[in-house]
Amino acid sequence: MESSMNLLHDAGIQATRWLQEHFHGSQDLFLFISFAADLRNAFFVLFPIWFHSNESVGIKLVWVAVIGDWLNLVFKWILFGERPYWWVHETDYYSNASAPEIQQFPLTCETGPGSPSGHAMGAAGVYYVMVMALLSAAMGKKQLKTLKYWVLWTVLWMGFWAVQVCVCLSRVFIAAHFPHQVIAGVISGMAVAKTFQHIGCIYHASLRRYVGITFFLFSFALGFYLLLRAVGVDLLWTLEKAQKWCKHPEWVHIDTTPFASLLRNLGILFGLGLALNSHMYLESCRGKQGQRLPFRLGCAAASLLILHLFDAFKLPSHMQLLFYVLSFCKSAAVPLATVGLVPYCISQLLATGDKKAA
């Protein structure tokens, strides 16, 4: 088994080396793709746009992203996947020859296990939701598949796979993942998104259900971590490797640790539950103003602006526990602002203007 994995890892190292040698001039493009494929952009950019265009799609996008990333965390803890940038230094596979030289970049030194790729899994799940939403809209209420529909179907799926290939190549190029890890990520992400195509209860979930699911996801992950630790398995073994083999210590970020991503995603889910069950949402998005296109466009634009400013606020990272708590709170504020606060404020401004005009 170990020899087979060594062969697989070596093939991945050779792929990374080949990409870095032949596409060295494209490193800025690959870094941008890895940055854009981060789930944070799905929450801060895609979610506001989709929620104020089609609420059900926005809600599904959050559920797919959160549950997908939670499953990704569990898979990583089970599979113990290596990452190229540290494996190439620690393996004895190259004992009779010098190990291949591979470059590192600012986004290389992630601290969690490598399999499956979270970026690939997240991008596959989120973009699958968007493609299916656009195709559903193209069919209309009569669910007719005309020639225009099939042309759109071809364009969207070609675009989908182009995005997945770019994300996979970028993760391999920066030596953050092996090829088999990104392929596993794409398959897993599509499977999660496909599953949520058949789950309708998420659109009318109560606050109690959101709180219960958030608590269950956190408790399961923490319990699994403590259980394995009790039997001598350290699930944070990768943090030491990242700190040891990353060429620049400042490239090792606490927000890439497993618990940081867990609390960030659970904060998003909890915040969405609070927002959808708030009076601000009911009075704005569910009121008369919520049916108007200018109101929806205004909410989307204002949400994007506010979230951009909010994202610029960096959390203190010198204390891990404080960072985790603040990360949860910051994430919860994203859907609260997008779904509740911003629409409510805009609806109140419009209502005041209508009263003055009357």
Side-chain angles (χ1 to χ4, degrees):
M1 180 65 179
E2 184 178 354
S3 60
S4 299
M5 290 306 299
N6 281 337
L7 289 172
L8 190 61
H9 287 149
D10 176 57
I13 293 295
Q14 300 305 325
T16 296
R17 189 179 180 184
W18 186 88
L19 285 172
Q20 291 182 351
E21 287 179 354
H22 290 79
F23 296 94
H24 180 74
S26 302
Q27 69 179 53
D28 289 340
L29 174 62
F30 282 123
L31 286 171
F32 172 76
I33 292 171
S34 276
F35 166 78
D38 193 289
L39 272 184
R40 180 173 56 220
N41 292 307
F43 300 136
F44 280 81
V45 180
L46 297 177
F47 170 64
I49 294 173
W50 275 104
F51 182 82
H52 292 296
S53 301
N54 187 320
E55 289 187 8
S56 61
V57 177
I59 293 171
K60 184 192 296 183
L61 189 148
V62 167
W63 277 89
V64 167
V66 169
I67 299 302
D69 208 50
W70 181 83
L71 288 172
N72 181 264
L73 170 66
V74 175
F75 289 155
K76 283 180 174 178
W77 278 349
I78 294 174
L79 297 175
F80 290 87
E82 304 280 354
R83 288 188 185 269
Y85 76 91
W86 74 57
W87 180 86
V88 72
H89 296 291
E90 295 203 334
T91 182
D92 57 2
Y93 181 78
Y94 303 108
S95 57
N96 296 325
S98 59
E101 289 288 336
I102 57 174
Q103 291 180 268
Q104 294 182 13
F105 304 92
L107 299 181
T108 296
C109 304
E110 296 198 2
T111 57
S115 187
S117 166
H119 280 69
M121 189 170 177
V126 168
Y127 280 83
Y128 186 95
V129 170
M130 294 192 294
V131 167
M132 295 304 295
L134 291 172
L135 290 177
S136 178
M139 283 193 295
K141 293 182 179 180
K142 296 183 178 180
Q143 299 291 295
L144 296 177
K145 296 183 178 181
T146 61
L147 177 60
K148 290 183 179 180
Y149 168 85
W150 288 112
V151 171
L152 181 64
W153 185 94
T154 303
V155 171
L156 288 177
W157 282 115
M158 287 179 63
F160 172 86
W161 286 111
V163 169
Q164 305 316 310
V165 170
C166 288
V167 171
C168 291
L169 289 177
S170 73
R171 302 305 289 168
V172 174
F173 176 88
I174 68 173
H177 287 290
F178 292 101
H180 69 277
Q181 295 173 343
V182 293
I183 293 173
V186 171
I187 296 172
S188 302
M190 292 181 66
V192 172
K194 180 67 174 178
T195 301
F196 272 91
Q197 291 290 115
H198 309 287
I199 300 177
C201 61
I202 60 175
Y203 307 114
H204 309 288
S206 64
L207 177 58
R208 183 177 180 180
R209 176 164 292 185
Y210 271 97
V211 172
I213 292 176
T214 301
F215 180 76
F216 167 77
L217 295 176
F218 176 75
S219 300
F220 184 94
L222 181 61
F224 188 54
Y225 168 77
L226 294 175
L227 176 63
L228 290 183
R229 188 171 182 177
V231 297
V233 179
D234 182 13
L235 291 178
L236 299 182
W237 59 278
T238 55
L239 182 58
E240 180 182 346
K241 292 181 181 290
Q243 294 170 335
K244 180 179 180 180
W245 295 112
C246 189
K247 291 182 179 179
H248 299 273
E250 65 272 17
W251 288 355
V252 180
H253 301 292
I254 189 174
D255 62 352
T256 64
T257 59
F259 278 108
S261 63
L262 173 67
L263 290 170
R264 181 177 62 245
N265 293 328
L266 294 185
I268 291 286
L269 187 64
F270 177 71
L272 180 63
L274 281 178
L276 290 174
N277 292 278
S278 68
H279 76 279
M280 293 187 296
Y281 167 73
L282 296 175
E283 290 185 19
S284 55
C285 294
R286 288 297 181 182
K288 293 181 180 179
Q289 297 285 2
Q291 308 304 317
R292 299 177 182 177
L293 180 60
F295 171 78
R296 289 289 186 176
L297 293 176
C299 288
S303 296
L304 289 172
L305 176 60
I306 290 175
L307 292 183
H308 175 71
L309 298 174
F310 188 53
D311 191 35
F313 172 68
K314 301 303 179 184
L315 301 176
S317 58
H318 58 282
M319 292 178 58
Q320 283 195 15
L321 182 60
L322 177 63
F323 177 85
Y324 292 152
V325 173
L326 292 178
S327 179
F328 179 88
C329 296
K330 180 181 178 181
S331 297
V334 172
L336 273 173
T338 302
V339 176
L341 184 60
V342 170
Y344 180 77
C345 291
I346 292 179
S347 67
Q348 292 300 307
L349 288 173
L350 292 176
T352 302
D354 290 343
K355 289 180 180 179
K356 289 182 179 179

